PDB file of all heavy atoms in Angstrom:
ATOM      1  N   LYS R  12      19.895 -13.014  35.030  1.00 85.00           N
ATOM      2  CA  LYS R  12      21.215 -13.560  35.355  1.00 85.00           C
ATOM      3  C   LYS R  12      21.363 -14.955  34.753  1.00 85.00           C
ATOM      4  O   LYS R  12      22.285 -15.247  33.992  1.00 85.00           O
ATOM      5  CB  LYS R  12      21.414 -13.610  36.875  1.00 85.00           C
ATOM      6  CG  LYS R  12      22.790 -13.978  37.271  1.00 85.00           C
ATOM      7  CD  LYS R  12      23.021 -13.723  38.737  1.00 85.00           C
ATOM      8  CE  LYS R  12      22.963 -12.242  39.049  1.00 85.00           C
ATOM      9  NZ  LYS R  12      23.164 -11.923  40.455  1.00 85.00           N
ATOM     10  N   TYR R  42      15.052   0.260  -1.968  1.00 57.00           N
ATOM     11  CA  TYR R  42      14.364   1.398  -1.408  1.00 57.00           C
ATOM     12  C   TYR R  42      13.463   0.946  -0.298  1.00 57.00           C
ATOM     13  O   TYR R  42      12.837  -0.078  -0.400  1.00 57.00           O
ATOM     14  CB  TYR R  42      13.551   2.010  -2.535  1.00 57.00           C
ATOM     15  CG  TYR R  42      12.952   3.324  -2.221  1.00 57.00           C
ATOM     16  CD1 TYR R  42      13.608   4.513  -2.511  1.00 57.00           C
ATOM     17  CD2 TYR R  42      11.682   3.384  -1.685  1.00 57.00           C
ATOM     18  CE1 TYR R  42      13.033   5.724  -2.233  1.00 57.00           C
ATOM     19  CE2 TYR R  42      11.084   4.595  -1.442  1.00 57.00           C
ATOM     20  CZ  TYR R  42      11.774   5.759  -1.696  1.00 57.00           C
ATOM     21  OH  TYR R  42      11.170   6.941  -1.431  1.00 57.00           O
ATOM     22  N   TYR R  48       8.664  -4.280  -1.512  1.00 77.00           N
ATOM     23  CA  TYR R  48       9.078  -5.689  -1.569  1.00 77.00           C
ATOM     24  C   TYR R  48      10.058  -5.981  -0.449  1.00 77.00           C
ATOM     25  O   TYR R  48       9.997  -6.977   0.242  1.00 77.00           O
ATOM     26  CB  TYR R  48       9.701  -5.937  -2.942  1.00 77.00           C
ATOM     27  CG  TYR R  48      10.267  -7.323  -3.074  1.00 77.00           C
ATOM     28  CD1 TYR R  48       9.401  -8.423  -3.073  1.00 77.00           C
ATOM     29  CD2 TYR R  48      11.616  -7.545  -3.181  1.00 77.00           C
ATOM     30  CE1 TYR R  48       9.910  -9.698  -3.180  1.00 77.00           C
ATOM     31  CE2 TYR R  48      12.131  -8.820  -3.287  1.00 77.00           C
ATOM     32  CZ  TYR R  48      11.260  -9.889  -3.274  1.00 77.00           C
ATOM     33  OH  TYR R  48      11.745 -11.148  -3.415  1.00 77.00           O
ATOM     34  N   ASN R  55       8.669 -10.693   6.845  1.00 89.00           N
ATOM     35  CA  ASN R  55       8.469 -12.151   6.822  1.00 89.00           C
ATOM     36  C   ASN R  55       9.648 -12.888   7.409  1.00 89.00           C
ATOM     37  O   ASN R  55       9.468 -13.874   8.146  1.00 89.00           O
ATOM     38  CB  ASN R  55       8.230 -12.615   5.385  1.00 89.00           C
ATOM     39  CG  ASN R  55       6.759 -12.415   4.984  1.00 89.00           C
ATOM     40  OD1 ASN R  55       5.965 -11.925   5.775  1.00 89.00           O
ATOM     41  ND2 ASN R  55       6.418 -12.781   3.793  1.00 89.00           N
ATOM     42  N   ALA R 109      17.042  -7.603  24.959  1.00 92.00           N
ATOM     43  CA  ALA R 109      18.482  -7.287  24.915  1.00 92.00           C
ATOM     44  C   ALA R 109      19.155  -7.960  23.727  1.00 92.00           C
ATOM     45  O   ALA R 109      19.949  -7.341  22.991  1.00 92.00           O
ATOM     46  CB  ALA R 109      19.175  -7.714  26.192  1.00 92.00           C
ATOM     47  N   GLY R 116      21.226  -3.068  17.055  1.00 89.00           N
ATOM     48  CA  GLY R 116      22.230  -2.055  17.373  1.00 89.00           C
ATOM     49  C   GLY R 116      23.489  -2.273  16.556  1.00 89.00           C
ATOM     50  O   GLY R 116      24.042  -1.359  15.950  1.00 89.00           O
ATOM     51  N   PHE R 129      20.463   1.729   7.752  1.00 75.00           N
ATOM     52  CA  PHE R 129      19.013   1.789   7.821  1.00 75.00           C
ATOM     53  C   PHE R 129      18.594   3.241   7.958  1.00 75.00           C
ATOM     54  O   PHE R 129      19.346   4.025   8.531  1.00 75.00           O
ATOM     55  CB  PHE R 129      18.503   1.073   9.059  1.00 75.00           C
ATOM     56  CG  PHE R 129      18.554  -0.414   9.011  1.00 75.00           C
ATOM     57  CD1 PHE R 129      19.480  -1.096   9.776  1.00 75.00           C
ATOM     58  CD2 PHE R 129      17.664  -1.124   8.224  1.00 75.00           C
ATOM     59  CE1 PHE R 129      19.508  -2.513   9.758  1.00 75.00           C
ATOM     60  CE2 PHE R 129      17.701  -2.492   8.208  1.00 75.00           C
ATOM     61  CZ  PHE R 129      18.617  -3.174   8.970  1.00 75.00           C
ATOM     62  N   ILE R 177       2.780 -19.916  11.890  1.00 93.00           N
ATOM     63  CA  ILE R 177       3.542 -19.170  10.884  1.00 93.00           C
ATOM     64  C   ILE R 177       3.413 -19.824   9.520  1.00 93.00           C
ATOM     65  O   ILE R 177       3.050 -19.170   8.534  1.00 93.00           O
ATOM     66  CB  ILE R 177       5.036 -19.066  11.249  1.00 93.00           C
ATOM     67  CG1 ILE R 177       5.224 -18.581  12.674  1.00 93.00           C
ATOM     68  CG2 ILE R 177       5.777 -18.208  10.258  1.00 93.00           C
ATOM     69  CD1 ILE R 177       4.825 -17.171  12.918  1.00 93.00           C
ATOM     70  N   TYR R 193     -20.360 -19.658   2.716  1.00 86.00           N
ATOM     71  CA  TYR R 193     -19.576 -18.525   2.187  1.00 86.00           C
ATOM     72  C   TYR R 193     -19.611 -17.307   3.083  1.00 86.00           C
ATOM     73  O   TYR R 193     -18.596 -16.688   3.347  1.00 86.00           O
ATOM     74  CB  TYR R 193     -20.081 -18.175   0.807  1.00 86.00           C
ATOM     75  CG  TYR R 193     -19.265 -17.095   0.115  1.00 86.00           C
ATOM     76  CD1 TYR R 193     -18.091 -17.439  -0.581  1.00 86.00           C
ATOM     77  CD2 TYR R 193     -19.647 -15.777   0.180  1.00 86.00           C
ATOM     78  CE1 TYR R 193     -17.360 -16.482  -1.179  1.00 86.00           C
ATOM     79  CE2 TYR R 193     -18.880 -14.806  -0.418  1.00 86.00           C
ATOM     80  CZ  TYR R 193     -17.769 -15.142  -1.104  1.00 86.00           C
ATOM     81  OH  TYR R 193     -16.996 -14.174  -1.717  1.00 86.00           O
ATOM     82  N   ARG R 213       1.407  -8.611  12.135  1.00 92.00           N
ATOM     83  CA  ARG R 213       1.801  -8.374  10.733  1.00 92.00           C
ATOM     84  C   ARG R 213       0.829  -7.420  10.043  1.00 92.00           C
ATOM     85  O   ARG R 213       1.222  -6.455   9.405  1.00 92.00           O
ATOM     86  CB  ARG R 213       1.854  -9.691   9.961  1.00 92.00           C
ATOM     87  CG  ARG R 213       2.286  -9.549   8.527  1.00 92.00           C
ATOM     88  CD  ARG R 213       2.218 -10.888   7.818  1.00 92.00           C
ATOM     89  NE  ARG R 213       0.875 -11.378   7.658  1.00 92.00           N
ATOM     90  CZ  ARG R 213       0.107 -11.035   6.611  1.00 92.00           C
ATOM     91  NH1 ARG R 213       0.576 -10.246   5.691  1.00 92.00           N
ATOM     92  NH2 ARG R 213      -1.129 -11.476   6.512  1.00 92.00           N
ATOM     93  N   SER R 224      -4.284  -0.840   2.218  1.00 80.00           N
ATOM     94  CA  SER R 224      -5.294  -0.976   1.146  1.00 80.00           C
ATOM     95  C   SER R 224      -5.121  -2.269   0.367  1.00 80.00           C
ATOM     96  O   SER R 224      -6.015  -2.692  -0.345  1.00 80.00           O
ATOM     97  CB  SER R 224      -5.201   0.222   0.178  1.00 80.00           C
ATOM     98  OG  SER R 224      -3.933   0.275  -0.394  1.00 80.00           O
ATOM     99  N   TYR R 230     -11.588  -5.204   4.097  1.00 79.00           N
ATOM    100  CA  TYR R 230     -11.055  -4.822   5.420  1.00 79.00           C
ATOM    101  C   TYR R 230     -10.805  -3.340   5.531  1.00 79.00           C
ATOM    102  O   TYR R 230     -10.003  -2.889   6.307  1.00 79.00           O
ATOM    103  CB  TYR R 230      -9.740  -5.592   5.661  1.00 79.00           C
ATOM    104  CG  TYR R 230      -9.949  -7.075   5.582  1.00 79.00           C
ATOM    105  CD1 TYR R 230      -9.646  -7.779   4.453  1.00 79.00           C
ATOM    106  CD2 TYR R 230     -10.556  -7.747   6.630  1.00 79.00           C
ATOM    107  CE1 TYR R 230      -9.892  -9.137   4.351  1.00 79.00           C
ATOM    108  CE2 TYR R 230     -10.792  -9.108   6.559  1.00 79.00           C
ATOM    109  CZ  TYR R 230     -10.454  -9.776   5.431  1.00 79.00           C
ATOM    110  OH  TYR R 230     -10.689 -11.107   5.333  1.00 79.00           O
ATOM    111  N   TYR R 231     -11.538  -2.591   4.691  1.00 74.00           N
ATOM    112  CA  TYR R 231     -11.292  -1.155   4.673  1.00 74.00           C
ATOM    113  C   TYR R 231     -11.381  -0.522   6.036  1.00 74.00           C
ATOM    114  O   TYR R 231     -10.545   0.262   6.459  1.00 74.00           O
ATOM    115  CB  TYR R 231     -12.212  -0.482   3.708  1.00 74.00           C
ATOM    116  CG  TYR R 231     -11.803   0.914   3.436  1.00 74.00           C
ATOM    117  CD1 TYR R 231     -10.760   1.189   2.567  1.00 74.00           C
ATOM    118  CD2 TYR R 231     -12.411   1.995   4.092  1.00 74.00           C
ATOM    119  CE1 TYR R 231     -10.314   2.456   2.343  1.00 74.00           C
ATOM    120  CE2 TYR R 231     -11.944   3.268   3.894  1.00 74.00           C
ATOM    121  CZ  TYR R 231     -10.942   3.514   2.994  1.00 74.00           C
ATOM    122  OH  TYR R 231     -10.497   4.751   2.817  1.00 74.00           O
TER     123      TYR R 231
ATOM    124  N   GLN J 233      -2.570   4.801  -3.580  1.00 83.00           N
ATOM    125  CA  GLN J 233      -2.485   3.601  -2.733  1.00 83.00           C
ATOM    126  C   GLN J 233      -3.413   3.607  -1.536  1.00 83.00           C
ATOM    127  O   GLN J 233      -3.556   2.612  -0.862  1.00 83.00           O
ATOM    128  CB  GLN J 233      -1.057   3.372  -2.262  1.00 83.00           C
ATOM    129  CG  GLN J 233      -0.475   4.567  -1.553  1.00 83.00           C
ATOM    130  CD  GLN J 233       0.819   4.227  -0.854  1.00 83.00           C
ATOM    131  OE1 GLN J 233       0.872   4.406   0.325  1.00 83.00           O
ATOM    132  NE2 GLN J 233       1.847   3.786  -1.560  1.00 83.00           N
ATOM    133  N   PRO J 236      -8.690   0.998  -1.065  1.00 81.00           N
ATOM    134  CA  PRO J 236      -8.577  -0.423  -1.385  1.00 81.00           C
ATOM    135  C   PRO J 236      -8.872  -0.692  -2.866  1.00 81.00           C
ATOM    136  O   PRO J 236      -8.700  -1.819  -3.311  1.00 81.00           O
ATOM    137  CB  PRO J 236      -9.581  -1.096  -0.499  1.00 81.00           C
ATOM    138  CG  PRO J 236     -10.480  -0.022  -0.013  1.00 81.00           C
ATOM    139  CD  PRO J 236      -9.692   1.242  -0.008  1.00 81.00           C
ATOM    140  N   ASN J 303       8.398  -4.133  -6.383  1.00 85.00           N
ATOM    141  CA  ASN J 303       7.014  -4.228  -6.056  1.00 85.00           C
ATOM    142  C   ASN J 303       6.836  -5.364  -5.056  1.00 85.00           C
ATOM    143  O   ASN J 303       7.548  -6.368  -5.151  1.00 85.00           O
ATOM    144  CB  ASN J 303       6.185  -4.522  -7.321  1.00 85.00           C
ATOM    145  CG  ASN J 303       6.389  -3.464  -8.378  1.00 85.00           C
ATOM    146  OD1 ASN J 303       6.096  -2.293  -8.192  1.00 85.00           O
ATOM    147  ND2 ASN J 303       7.011  -3.865  -9.492  1.00 85.00           N
ATOM    148  N   PRO J 354     -12.900 -13.032  -1.691  1.00 82.00           N
ATOM    149  CA  PRO J 354     -12.108 -11.849  -1.494  1.00 82.00           C
ATOM    150  C   PRO J 354     -11.575 -11.700  -0.069  1.00 82.00           C
ATOM    151  O   PRO J 354     -10.565 -11.058   0.124  1.00 82.00           O
ATOM    152  CB  PRO J 354     -13.115 -10.703  -1.779  1.00 82.00           C
ATOM    153  CG  PRO J 354     -14.172 -11.339  -2.603  1.00 82.00           C
ATOM    154  CD  PRO J 354     -14.258 -12.768  -2.213  1.00 82.00           C
ATOM    155  N   ALA J 355     -12.235 -12.362   0.870  1.00 84.00           N
ATOM    156  CA  ALA J 355     -11.777 -12.217   2.274  1.00 84.00           C
ATOM    157  C   ALA J 355     -10.347 -12.703   2.439  1.00 84.00           C
ATOM    158  O   ALA J 355      -9.626 -12.243   3.312  1.00 84.00           O
ATOM    159  CB  ALA J 355     -12.690 -13.006   3.185  1.00 84.00           C
ATOM    160  N   LEU J 358      -6.596 -11.019   3.026  1.00 85.00           N
ATOM    161  CA  LEU J 358      -5.914 -10.752   4.269  1.00 85.00           C
ATOM    162  C   LEU J 358      -4.582 -11.523   4.342  1.00 85.00           C
ATOM    163  O   LEU J 358      -3.698 -11.178   5.090  1.00 85.00           O
ATOM    164  CB  LEU J 358      -6.809 -11.217   5.430  1.00 85.00           C
ATOM    165  CG  LEU J 358      -6.502 -10.644   6.814  1.00 85.00           C
ATOM    166  CD1 LEU J 358      -6.552  -9.156   6.795  1.00 85.00           C
ATOM    167  CD2 LEU J 358      -7.472 -11.198   7.836  1.00 85.00           C
ATOM    168  N   PHE J 360      -2.399 -11.584   2.140  1.00 85.00           N
ATOM    169  CA  PHE J 360      -1.418 -11.021   1.236  1.00 85.00           C
ATOM    170  C   PHE J 360      -0.014 -10.991   1.893  1.00 85.00           C
ATOM    171  O   PHE J 360       0.182 -10.354   2.908  1.00 85.00           O
ATOM    172  CB  PHE J 360      -1.835  -9.580   0.884  1.00 85.00           C
ATOM    173  CG  PHE J 360      -0.922  -8.928  -0.099  1.00 85.00           C
ATOM    174  CD1 PHE J 360      -1.095  -9.151  -1.465  1.00 85.00           C
ATOM    175  CD2 PHE J 360       0.096  -8.081   0.293  1.00 85.00           C
ATOM    176  CE1 PHE J 360      -0.258  -8.570  -2.384  1.00 85.00           C
ATOM    177  CE2 PHE J 360       0.958  -7.503  -0.617  1.00 85.00           C
ATOM    178  CZ  PHE J 360       0.750  -7.735  -1.957  1.00 85.00           C
ATOM    179  N   GLN J 361       0.909 -11.693   1.333  1.00 83.00           N
ATOM    180  CA  GLN J 361       2.283 -11.755   1.785  1.00 83.00           C
ATOM    181  C   GLN J 361       2.452 -12.293   3.212  1.00 83.00           C
ATOM    182  O   GLN J 361       3.438 -12.007   3.849  1.00 83.00           O
ATOM    183  CB  GLN J 361       2.970 -10.374   1.690  1.00 83.00           C
ATOM    184  CG  GLN J 361       3.497 -10.028   0.309  1.00 83.00           C
ATOM    185  CD  GLN J 361       4.538 -10.988  -0.190  1.00 83.00           C
ATOM    186  OE1 GLN J 361       4.200 -12.063  -0.673  1.00 83.00           O
ATOM    187  NE2 GLN J 361       5.803 -10.656  -0.034  1.00 83.00           N
ATOM    188  N   GLU J 396      16.279   5.161  -6.888  1.00 47.00           N
ATOM    189  CA  GLU J 396      17.372   5.512  -5.980  1.00 47.00           C
ATOM    190  C   GLU J 396      17.242   4.698  -4.695  1.00 47.00           C
ATOM    191  O   GLU J 396      16.152   4.405  -4.242  1.00 47.00           O
ATOM    192  CB  GLU J 396      17.355   6.981  -5.623  1.00 47.00           C
ATOM    193  CG  GLU J 396      17.556   7.916  -6.775  1.00 47.00           C
ATOM    194  CD  GLU J 396      16.235   8.361  -7.370  1.00 47.00           C
ATOM    195  OE1 GLU J 396      15.406   8.860  -6.591  1.00 47.00           O
ATOM    196  OE2 GLU J 396      16.036   8.177  -8.571  1.00 47.00           O
ATOM    197  N   ALA J 405      20.127   6.530  12.531  1.00 77.00           N
ATOM    198  CA  ALA J 405      20.098   5.062  12.743  1.00 77.00           C
ATOM    199  C   ALA J 405      21.340   4.617  13.486  1.00 77.00           C
ATOM    200  O   ALA J 405      21.297   3.752  14.364  1.00 77.00           O
ATOM    201  CB  ALA J 405      19.976   4.343  11.417  1.00 77.00           C
ATOM    202  N   SER J 416      21.864  -2.987  25.509  1.00 86.00           N
ATOM    203  CA  SER J 416      21.790  -4.422  25.675  1.00 86.00           C
ATOM    204  C   SER J 416      23.065  -4.959  26.346  1.00 86.00           C
ATOM    205  O   SER J 416      22.979  -5.880  27.156  1.00 86.00           O
ATOM    206  CB  SER J 416      21.583  -5.105  24.305  1.00 86.00           C
ATOM    207  OG  SER J 416      22.647  -4.862  23.463  1.00 86.00           O
ATOM    208  N   GLY J 423      23.414  -8.403  34.262  1.00 76.00           N
ATOM    209  CA  GLY J 423      22.851  -9.739  34.471  1.00 76.00           C
ATOM    210  C   GLY J 423      23.904 -10.725  34.869  1.00 76.00           C
ATOM    211  O   GLY J 423      23.717 -11.495  35.817  1.00 76.00           O
ATOM    212  N   SER J 427      26.659 -10.608  42.031  1.00 55.00           N
ATOM    213  CA  SER J 427      26.251  -9.568  42.935  1.00 55.00           C
ATOM    214  C   SER J 427      26.817  -9.857  44.346  1.00 55.00           C
ATOM    215  O   SER J 427      27.096 -10.994  44.688  1.00 55.00           O
ATOM    216  CB  SER J 427      24.721  -9.505  43.004  1.00 55.00           C
ATOM    217  OG  SER J 427      24.220 -10.812  43.173  1.00 55.00           O
TER     218      SER J 427
END
Side-chain angles (χ1 to χ4, degrees):
Chain R
K12 188 167 293 179
Y42 189 91
Y48 176 67
N55 278 1
F129 285 109
I177 310 292
Y193 184 85
R213 182 183 68 87
S224 60
Y230 302 100
Y231 191 78
Chain J
Q233 55 168 240
N303 303 296
L358 198 59
F360 183 84
Q361 277 300 81
E396 297 94 54
S416 63
S427 47

